[in-house]
Amino acid sequence: MPYLISQAIDRGITARQAGPLIGWSAGVLACGLAGAGLGIMRHRSMTKLRIAAALRTADQVLTHATRLGAALPRRITAGEVVTIGISDVWLIGRAMNVGGIGVASIVACAVIATLLHRTSPQLALVVLIGVPALGVLVGPLLRGTQRAGSRYRERQGTLNARLVDVVGGLRVLNGLGGSATHLARYVRESSRLRDQGYRVGRPSSWVNALGDGLPMVFLAVVIWVAARMAATGEISAGQLIAVYGYTAMLVIPVSVLIFCGFDLTYGLVAARRVTGFLNLPLDDPAGGAGPPGPAGLHDPDSGVTAEPGRLTALAGVRPADATEVLDRLGRYLPAATTWADLRLDEIARDVVRERILVAENGADLFAGPLRDVVAGRHEPDDDLIRAAIDTAVAHDVATDLDRPVEWGGRNLSGGQRQRLRLARALYADPEMLLLAEPTSAVDAHTETAIAERLAAARAGQGTVVATTSPVLLDRADTVHYLVGGRVAATGTHRELLAAEPGYRTLVTRVFGEEAEG
């Protein structure tokens, strides 16, 4: 368009020729209409590109999360997944601007430099030197933004994880009177994240300011050089106006390039988090057959052995250690665990999942009738369901098998949800059942009843319970006392009480806490 305007001035206005003026003006009008149409197409295509990139990334994340399955919460926090899904994928989408208008801006700068070279090589040289110089000025700020943004993104994922945990356990926190404490902790961490955001904002604000200001400075320099050339007669008035038009139009691609660098910086931070998630190793479902019949599990990392047909208990100084042992025995964590003489990770995953069940204390409860919730993926049998409910002492929940259960058991108390999870695990009737703290949310009377019925219901089958409950420990055939994640002593509950002061202290402390409660 600047070229068309310059021709209208030089060949129409200056020469006082109406015909050329009308012709070149019509060209300006046609160019304007074409620019408007192309602008609409550009906006639509770039919007489509950004949304498509974001949604395709979200699809990849969701697909990988589905493939990870039950291993997902063991490898990444829920808050990190939430942040990836609602923030990172859209930052990656914005970074796609570089592939569209970013490339177009580079082409525009090259075309404008070529047109200016036809008018004056000196002006073209100013453009060819000035555009890279702007990148040199903005580059350090973008690198600073990227470093600060990486730290901010890491803290954001941690804070979101805490928020998800607090919201998920809000009813428990309210019951324990701990909601105010967690609120205060969240406020402190949120304030730290806000301060980190200010540190990200400092270089970002300079990038924004330079993105708006530097192109105008660049415009002023080019026009000053062109005006001096026009004053000396090196270029005509029409050419001066053309140079102004070219340079004014150059403001847009230069500004776009700066902001594309800004989007790319944040996009790289987000992409690293997404690729880190997508690189989480999947559990290979392929493998050989399992042992022909019930067999023992052995975890060499801890020294724990779980024999078939026996009730084995894991009492850890740190409860998390016992839970990790269950995850290794259930093939949810990489380990050299063996099943009979076979490596567990070399057996087909479906075979392991069918015969070995890890029942987590916080496992999800899906919405539906109580009958379907307890049956899970198995066909419901009312008699077997009632037997599992009886063993889990969940009669108060199961007065009616058609009773609706909301997602996550939100219409149930904490103790009811725990007993319903236990009933579901018992109904599955696996060859080896691995239970994590199955009675931590019930009262002492109910816990005693569960311990008695669990031992009877699982007689002749392998069961491993991670617990520090004296009632459950007393029912176990074998108790492994864990210190630092390793077996420190093995025996019956009463043998360990007599021989291991540390075990006695652990169990006595837990018993005292339960008595006080």
Side-chain angles (χ1 to χ4, degrees), residues 389-422:
I389 289 171
D390 180 70
T391 302
V393 195
H395 304 91
D396 56 328
V397 186
T399 52
D400 180 6
L401 293 183
D402 293 319
R403 171 183 177 174
V405 176
E406 296 181 5
W407 181 85
R410 290 178 296 181
N411 57 336
L412 304 174
S413 69
Q416 289 174 329
R417 288 196 296 270
Q418 187 174 58
R419 284 175 284 147
L420 199 56
R421 293 187 185 102
L422 177 58

Side-chain angles (χ1 to χ4, degrees), residues 7 23 129-130 142 155 158 193 221 242 249 278 299 319-320 355 457 485:
Q7 295 303 308
I129 294 175
L142 293 176
R155 284 195 173 183
T158 303
L193 181 64
V221 170
M249 297 186 73
L278 295 178
D299 173 34
R355 297 173 61 182

Side-chain angles (χ1 to χ4, degrees), residues 267-320:
L268 286 172
V269 172
R272 289 193 182 102
R273 307 299 295 195
V274 172
T275 53
F277 173 76
L278 295 178
N279 284 331
L280 291 176
L282 293 171
D283 188 14
D284 186 1
L297 289 169
H298 177 66
D299 173 34
D301 290 350
S302 63
V304 168
T305 298
E307 297 294 343
R310 295 177 66 83
L311 176 57
T312 304
L314 307 179
V317 174
R318 290 180 63 251

Side-chain angles (χ1 to χ4, degrees), residues 87-100:
S87 175
D88 290 341
V89 296
W90 298 109
L91 291 175
I92 291 173
R94 285 184 59 86
M96 292 297 103
N97 285 331
V98 177

Side-chain angles (χ1 to χ4, degrees), residues 246-285:
Y246 292 146
T247 312
M249 297 186 73
L250 190 63
V251 169
I252 297 174
V254 169
S255 180
V256 165
L257 283 175
I258 291 175
F259 286 109
C260 278
F262 188 72
D263 289 339
L264 184 60
T265 297
Y266 278 100
L268 286 172
V269 172
R272 289 193 182 102
R273 307 299 295 195
V274 172
T275 53
F277 173 76
L278 295 178
N279 284 331
L280 291 176
L282 293 171
D283 188 14
D284 186 1

